[in-house]
Amino acid sequence: MAQPASRQRKTRANGVASRIAILDAAAHIAGERGYEGTSINAVSERSGLPASSIYWHFKNKDELIAAVIDRSYSDWIEALRRLADQDSELSPVEMYSSGMRQSAEQLIQFPDFLRLGLMLTLERRPSEPTARQRFQATRVETLARLRRYLGRVFESLGEAEIEQLAVLTLAGSDGLFIAAESEGIDIADGFETLARAVMGAAVSFGWVRPNS
Amino acid sequence: MAQPASRQRKTRANGVASRIAILDAAAHIAGERGYEGTSINAVSERSGLPASSIYWHFKNKDELIAAVIDRSYSDWIEALRRLADQDSELSPVEMYSSGMRQSAEQLIQFPDFLRLGLMLTLERRPSEPTARQRFQATRVETLARLRRYLGRVFESLGEAEIEQLAVLTLAGSDGLFIAAESEGIDIADGFETLARAVMGAAVSFGWVRPNS
Amino acid sequence: MAQPASRQRKTRANGVASRIAILDAAAHIAGERGYEGTSINAVSERSGLPASSIYWHFKNKDELIAAVIDRSYSDWIEALRRLADQDSELSPVEMYSSGMRQSAEQLIQFPDFLRLGLMLTLERRPSEPTARQRFQATRVETLARLRRYLGRVFESLGEAEIEQLAVLTLAGSDGLFIAAESEGIDIADGFETLARAVMGAAVSFGWVRPNS
Amino acid sequence: MAQPASRQRKTRANGVASRIAILDAAAHIAGERGYEGTSINAVSERSGLPASSIYWHFKNKDELIAAVIDRSYSDWIEALRRLADQDSELSPVEMYSSGMRQSAEQLIQFPDFLRLGLMLTLERRPSEPTARQRFQATRVETLARLRRYLGRVFESLGEAEIEQLAVLTLAGSDGLFIAAESEGIDIADGFETLARAVMGAAVSFGWVRPNS
DNA sequence: AATGAATGAGGATTCATTCAT
DNA sequence: AATGAATGAATCCTCATTCAT
């Protein structure tokens, strides 16, 4: 066996691998500590590359965190797509509850992404970090996705109604994630209730007839 | 001879006023930037008192932010009490929708408190700041309050069901706050939908009969 | 014997003395190495105070160097005034050659100030350091002083002529300073030639009659 | 098979062109910001070549800046020669004023060179950069040139007198350059006055008879 | 009850330079 | 003839905190 692993890496100069190592480290730390809490030094230590090397790969901290968001969102979308492929040809109602189950799955799979994203969302600082804007964009996309989804499930609903349900769904989802982080509630359970609730709201408003 | 007014005031007097000025400044900044983003220096500048004075009033940054949470929560409870006094003697249903309206009102009134609290909740750092624990405690209290509340509205429900609805309500509330911060949705509207949704969930599960 | 000198200083907290120590150190280093060459660390080492203390006394490097220019110029003016007091009641011609001798004296006395000032003057960077503007201002003042001076010596001359001679005198002075720094020429000698030259120019243009 | 043109050019070709691009970039930046202010990175960006390529062409920063001085001085001499060719066969007096005019022209043509050179001249750092020595050498050469020149114009003068006039001329020239940079004075005007002044000094000392 | 001054540790970022390819 | 990647040292500056007054 044998290869003298340790020293090797430094000379090898593998840009792609280094970039990934940095992003991995940054994603982990930023997911736990937020933007300000993510020091370049910490990323350097966790990734094994000197701080100055981070600056070869990323212009500055801002762009590093933005890149973290971008990559995480790609992964998120990718995971979503994999799940979506499984349920072509379902009835609306089946699709709905399946979609809710999948959403719960997503939250559980990407806690760092969501934690960081929500922290960025909540921050209100003079100069918005690029990362915040990027996450904002993913929220807009997610809402659009939700609208399309609900549009297919509740075919008779108008735009305004769909909008209300979409917002409620996203809000419920974010809130459940926080409750899971904070009080340790079970996300899957929470989503089941949420599904009923959204459906129930539609019924209660008289938008749909109560059969399931 | 009469006290040389001008000089005097700053030196001798108002420990209380200074403390308040510091808390005000810290609450504002922490509400915008979170724990790490709140530097003692920034608080010093905004409050007009030297940094060393902050350390006369508070042991360290940790306790300062904790004190911010404590004070904000007192104010929050106080506001809640004022609202609650208005609706003794309401029917359960009236109480419920009134409660929901009041909750929306609260979120709008205390954005800094919630922003800071949620940021603290999301952070996951090695040594938990005292402030986080304090906010955690307020969440526990809020949940208890919600349980009592829902218990009175849905008198027939068991503990497990109440719990589910309470969690959903809190989650929806947090999520709506975030949506308001991020996408600018209208909180009052959101809460109306949320009220319907929670009710609808109860109906959908067959816990209550659908009459309103 | 007795006072344990070394440690004492730190606790003593003598703001004024520290500020002076920092300015002394910065003046020396900046006078030798220019703006960029003056690292806060070097100033810290030379002054004996930690780098962070420098930032208690000065907002940033820019303001530190600007303060160096300001203080040096005060000293320069002060020295000038002391010299000027000596030669009230001189004939114009005596005044002129005395003034020239004094100027030479000044250059010799304040080499750090001039070196730094000229380096700042020559630099052409995107964001002008405050220090550069401050030195610029001293040049404007010096030119005004020169105009008044030459106006008294060559009473018959018009503004335009005075201006030309003033510019030439300042240029000669700066150039001689550089020649002294670079080739080690004798400044006093240089100024004697310069005095003759300025006078000679005036004669040559026919502005004054050649008698001295 | 024929060489895949496009790729090729950048890799194989023009070492000379790259070297020139680097020198151009370095000359520009160093002429504006001085030795310390010229970062390899900035030169890399302005020249369009990676930093490591600069090290292929030049041993280090020191030699790069030295090369800048060398090349600029060659250009300077070249320009001088072109001008000089125009005025063989002039009377001493004509030659003198023509020479002065030409000098003004030179300063206007090579501001970066002079700015950098004078900045280097003024700096006083522990380890003298090679570039400083190179510029020093050009000054020595320029002085020698001036002596020869003045020797031809004022044929009767002794070495000591020539020296004094040469030093004054160089000083005036440097000073006028600075005044142009700082106060925006007109260099050509300044040199006319300077010419009169040097001549006037010679007359005033009784070294030459006043006829022109 | 307060504060001017100080301070070590750490923040992000840039530096000149090297080296394997 | 060139360059992508790396790197240790240094850059300026901010941090939380302390302490003598």
Side-chain angles (χ1 to χ4, degrees), chain B residues 76-115:
Chain B
W76 166 279
I77 292 293
E78 174 64 20
L80 222 48
R81 215 181 308 273
R82 265 201 303 276
L83 291 174
D85 283 354
Q86 297 165 13
D87 56 24
S88 38
E89 310 306 319
L90 290 181
S91 76
V93 170
E94 285 167 338
M95 190 168 80
Y96 181 66
S97 67
S98 156
M100 280 300 197
R101 243 178 288 117
Q102 288 169 14
S103 302
E105 193 53 33
Q106 288 281 101
L107 299 210
I108 291 163
Q109 227 76 55
F110 295 88
D112 283 348
F113 172 50
L114 281 168
R115 244 186 270 117

Side-chain angles (χ1 to χ4, degrees), chain D residues 54-74:
Chain D
I54 297 174
Y55 281 87
W56 194 88
H57 289 279
F58 303 92
K59 201 174 141 256
N60 53 31
K61 178 173 162 175
D62 203 41
E63 299 225 334
L64 169 59
I65 309 284
V68 164
I69 292 283
D70 286 349
R71 193 189 61 162
S72 298
Y73 190 57
S74 307

Side-chain angles (χ1 to χ4, degrees), chain D residues 1-15:
Chain D
M1 29 214 36
Q3 5 101 269
S6 59
R7 232 344 91 93
Q8 210 77 343
R9 227 172 314 146
K10 232 191 212 145
T11 344
R12 116 156 9 258
N14 234 340

Side-chain angles (χ1 to χ4, degrees), chain A residues 10 14-15 18 50 52-53 56-57:
Chain A
K10 277 156 189 193
N14 185 343
S18 294
S52 47
S53 291
W56 196 90
H57 291 278

Side-chain angles (χ1 to χ4, degrees), chain B residues 12 37 42 57 96-97 106 124 163-165 174 183 186 197 200:
Chain B
R12 117 157 6 260
H57 289 279
Y96 181 66
S97 67
Q106 288 281 101
R124 198 142 300 249
E163 181 64 22
Q164 262 177 271
L165 296 186
D174 291 337
E183 282 84 33
D186 184 277

